[in-house]
Amino acid sequence: MIDLDTIVCGNSVELMKTFPSEYSHAIISDIPYGIGYDEWDVLHNNTNSALGGTSTAQNNAGAIFKRRGKPLNGWSSADKRIPLEYQKWCSSWAEEWLRVLKPGASCLIFAGRRFAHRCIVALEDSGFTFKDMLAWEKTTAPHRAQRISEIYKRRGDDEQAELWEGWRVANLRPLFEPILWFQKPYKIGGTLADNVAEYGVGAWNETALSTYCTRRSSTGSGANSNILSVPCDKTDHGLHETQKPLRLMECLVSLVTQEDAIIIDPFAGSGTTCLAAKNLRRHYIGIEINESFVAVARNRLSTAQLALDFAPALK
């Protein structure tokens, strides 16, 4: 059994099988999106040589364009299978997550816009209830949509360039990321209120939203809304390619758990979920397969502990 308040290096799909049933009060994780962002995000068997390649234009555009993805309509039958293979990957761990959670406990997952529906299907099939889709509203996001008129200009096709002025290809600016909120069903024969009293989970804390979210209006984010407007600061960058804001993870931790709860993050990355749990007096277990990220996460948690130990001496 893995000790509490630790970051473990290993494969979470296998390690979660070692946890007792009805053990954790919440699972909160930024899972791979399956969109080929980096090597660790390739979760399919497609061996097309173009996958992950780069062009001269991409190299000149900087790191944001460093890796070539696939067009949404695909190039081959293997490309078409990528979404289903991602769903099967989610299914490979979903039942263990369900088993490890206490009845009524929440599972909050960051999932990419493109394949979020596949994750939803996989977890519903495993027995989870899909409670809601939260939207994390970001303050900035890269915009990759190219003006199609510029493409025609480079081809010397002025007629098409003029006709399609103001039109773009690719996506709109991605200013939100979905957070999928699942719940383990509470036991048959009782009410949700009974479940909350027995297991300490099943309700949500409205104070968390007002504490961490930027309130815009009485009906906007922060007012018991499923739009979470939580900005990044300078410490929320540089440790992982997909690092999330600490305050956002603190919001999610406090939204669904009380103090002394056990939070598990099976894809811990740089340890932000675990650090949020520690800051809020929850227990945590983080699992991460990449040794370098494990080192980063452990260092962050150790630094936070030193700050806590040193704080009384300053008073």
Side-chain angles (χ1 to χ4, degrees), residues 187-206:
K187 291 188 174 179
I188 298 173
T191 66
L192 183 55
D194 295 333
N195 189 96
V196 172
E198 182 174 355
Y199 295 101
V201 289
W204 56 272
N205 178 16
E206 63 180 352

Side-chain angles (χ1 to χ4, degrees), residues 116-156:
H117 60 295
R118 295 287 184 169
C119 182
I120 293 169
V121 170
L123 268 72
E124 281 188 326
D125 286 350
S126 75
F128 277 101
T129 298
F130 180 48
K131 184 179 178 69
D132 200 355
M133 180 184 290
L134 310 181
W136 170 41
E137 184 182 35
K138 300 186 288 186
T139 52
T140 61
H143 197 204
R144 310 179 186 210
Q146 187 177 13
R147 291 182 176 87
I148 195 168
S149 59
E150 295 300 316
I151 298 174
Y152 291 127
K153 286 179 182 178
R154 288 197 296 271
R155 295 179 180 178

Side-chain angles (χ1 to χ4, degrees), residues 248-292:
L248 175 62
M249 305 316 295
E250 289 178 345
C251 177
L252 297 179
V253 167
S254 59
L255 180 66
V256 296
T257 65
Q258 295 182 308
E259 289 189 9
D260 294 323
I262 299 171
I263 313 295
I264 299 176
D265 184 353
F267 298 95
S270 61
T272 306
T273 301
C274 297
L275 181 57
K278 183 179 185 65
N279 289 347
L280 295 169
R281 298 182 178 87
R282 274 75 163 170
H283 296 291
Y284 62 86
I285 297 175
I287 306 173
E288 172 55 44
I289 199 168
N290 184 299
E291 292 183 1
S292 62

